[in-house]
Amino acid sequence: MVCIYCGSSTQVTNSRLHKRQNEVWRRRRCVHCGSLVTTYETVALEASIVVQYAATDLRPFSRDMLFISIYESCKHRPTALADAAALTQTIMGKIFTRPLAPAITREAIIAATQSTLELFDAAAATYYTAYHRQ
Ligand SMILES: [Zn+2]
């Protein structure tokens, strides 16, 4: 990884595995300008998991699509952006339980999202359900 400020090489000065999020946190120091940057190594879900929409309709999983659908459902809330980010993490934790198959159904994503939104905000759940009927 190169420094975001000057483009020189960086060295890892600290590293921690976050088992719950299945990610590695790293602090890096630039060998030229000494700047510190933080990086996260996570699984590339888009390249690893497919969503089954129909028998022959498989599409790469998109965290962004999940986030946008939740954000749209939460737009009436003043904290919609932060809420949608946290809810996306929660729902992904529900969807990606082990053992995990390489394909997940669209219905499973919708069910996990609906149940999470019902506990969080009734209006958001109603909005989401209206746009994601199974
Ligand atoms: Zn630098």
Side-chain angles (χ1 to χ4, degrees):
M1 188 129 335
V2 296
C3 175
I4 60 171
Y5 303 106
C6 73
S8 298
S9 300
T10 58
Q11 290 182 331
V12 175
T13 59
N14 199 348
S15 178
R16 293 195 187 119
L17 169 65
H18 292 168
K19 278 188 176 178
R20 198 158 162 234
Q21 292 100 345
N22 197 21
E23 71 183 15
V24 177
W25 169 94
R26 289 193 180 95
R27 180 76 77 191
R28 295 172 176 271
R29 180 180 299 278
C30 176
V31 297
H32 178 72
C33 73
S35 297
L36 287 172
V37 294
T38 300
T39 63
Y40 294 92
E41 179 183 297
T42 62
V43 174
L45 291 170
E46 287 79 359
S48 308
I49 302 291
V50 293
V51 178
Q52 185 167 16
Y53 279 71
T56 57
D57 186 4
L58 300 173
R59 303 177 198 178
F61 172 77
S62 170
R63 184 190 186 283
D64 293 343
M65 277 182 60
L66 178 62
F67 172 82
I68 289 168
S69 70
I70 296 165
Y71 176 74
E72 288 292 323
S73 304
C74 293
K75 272 193 348 198
H76 63 284
R77 301 176 57 84
T79 55
L81 197 59
D83 294 343
L87 288 162
T88 300
Q89 246 355 82
T90 298
I91 292 161
M92 286 178 59
K94 289 182 175 181
I95 295 168
F96 299 120
T97 55
R98 289 180 211 105
L100 180 63
I104 187 167
T105 63
R106 177 178 183 264
E107 288 74 23
I109 296 172
I110 291 172
T113 305
Q114 281 175 333
S115 66
T116 303
L117 286 177
E118 283 165 7
L119 294 172
F120 181 72
D121 184 301
T126 301
Y127 184 95
Y128 182 85
T129 301
Y131 284 92
H132 297 86
R133 292 192 196 284
Q134 298 195 32

